[in-house]
Amino acid sequence: MSVQIDEGVVMEVPFVDATPQNLEDYGVMITETVHRPGLSIPFYKGSVEEGQNLDFEYTGKAVIRTARISHRSPEITWLERHLNMTQIFVGLGTAPFAMVLGKPNQHSGQNVPRLEDVCAFRVPAGQGVMIHAGTWHDFPMAIVDPVTVLTMNSDEVVHALAHAKSADEMDAGDVYKIDIRRRTGRILKVPF
């Protein structure tokens, strides 16, 4: 079900500092704080604080890789979601990066994001996010300086994206990717 919106209307996406609290509807923030501490492993007691596993989900084979991102156009052309994966993005180095995220809405049968729920989060340098299954997202964006991002993904998703014949909408290999302007009549822009 899609909502008719006037063609060509520019919508500035809110840009906020990511915190564990404001990210919780979209995913889990990965910070220098140990995730759910208290895992009982008897080695190195007193010098290692063990955390519980992150609930990273995927189908097939897990893929861990890096990508170098540079500043690009502030217009958000694509948003995608994965229903069988909780993708992870962690910034390496000293520069923050941005994640444009929309809340999961697959359980209500929607095939486009609720634009009111789309937000750009400034993720501090050395931190990251594990998005919930179904969270709408764009690939991470450099805010000013280039950033290398560590990504944890599934081979199924990487294969589908790498074998796309052109930059167009797709629904293959747990990748549902849409052109925002084509689907909603809105132009989404980040304010940087």
Side-chain angles (χ1 to χ4, degrees):
M1 169 163 53
S2 70
V3 176
Q4 291 292 71
I5 299 174
D6 293 337
E7 179 69 20
V9 174
V10 175
M11 180 179 167
E12 190 169 283
V13 175
F15 187 41
V16 301
D17 290 327
T19 67
Q21 294 76 29
N22 66 13
L23 261 173
E24 68 186 358
D25 289 339
Y26 305 85
V28 175
M29 189 158 179
I30 300 169
T31 69
E32 68 278 0
T33 303
V34 174
H35 178 70
R36 296 186 313 213
L39 182 61
S40 179
I41 295 179
F43 305 96
Y44 312 109
K45 284 188 182 214
S47 63
V48 176
E49 181 182 20
E50 296 281 355
Q52 305 296 322
N53 294 344
L54 287 165
D55 297 324
F56 178 51
E57 299 172 10
Y58 58 93
T59 54
K61 178 181 172 187
V63 177
I64 300 172
R65 60 190 182 94
T66 57
R68 184 81 169 160
I69 55 175
S70 297
H71 190 75
R72 65 179 196 245
S73 168
E75 186 174 324
I76 304 302
T77 303
W78 310 105
L79 285 179
E80 67 185 66
R81 69 181 179 192
H82 314 290
L83 300 181
N84 300 314
M85 181 176 58
T86 57
Q87 196 168 16
I88 298 175
F89 302 96
V90 178
L92 305 175
T94 59
F97 68 97
M99 285 296 305
V100 175
L101 303 173
K103 292 178 184 177
N105 61 1
Q106 68 271 20
H107 299 298
S108 61
Q110 296 177 333
N111 287 323
V112 295
R114 284 178 32 94
L115 298 183
E116 312 75 59
D117 293 337
V118 175
C119 188
F121 292 92
R122 181 185 301 108
V123 180
Q127 297 186 23
V129 61
M130 179 179 68
I131 60 175
H132 298 314
T135 294
W136 292 96
H137 62 286
D138 194 10
F139 201 75
M141 300 177 77
I143 298 168
V144 176
D145 298 324
V147 179
T148 297
V149 178
L150 177 72
T151 67
M152 295 171 207
N153 213 323
S154 73
D155 186 54
E156 173 186 31
V157 167
V158 173
H159 180 78
L161 292 167
H163 288 84
K165 301 225 183 290
S166 64
D168 201 356
E169 292 188 337
M170 65 185 297
D171 186 3
D174 196 28
V175 178
Y176 181 67
K177 188 177 204 77
I178 63 169
D179 180 315
I180 291 300
R181 186 173 187 180
R182 186 184 309 166
R183 292 297 184 106
T184 68
R186 289 282 178 102
I187 298 170
L188 296 182
K189 287 192 172 185
V190 293
F192 57 84

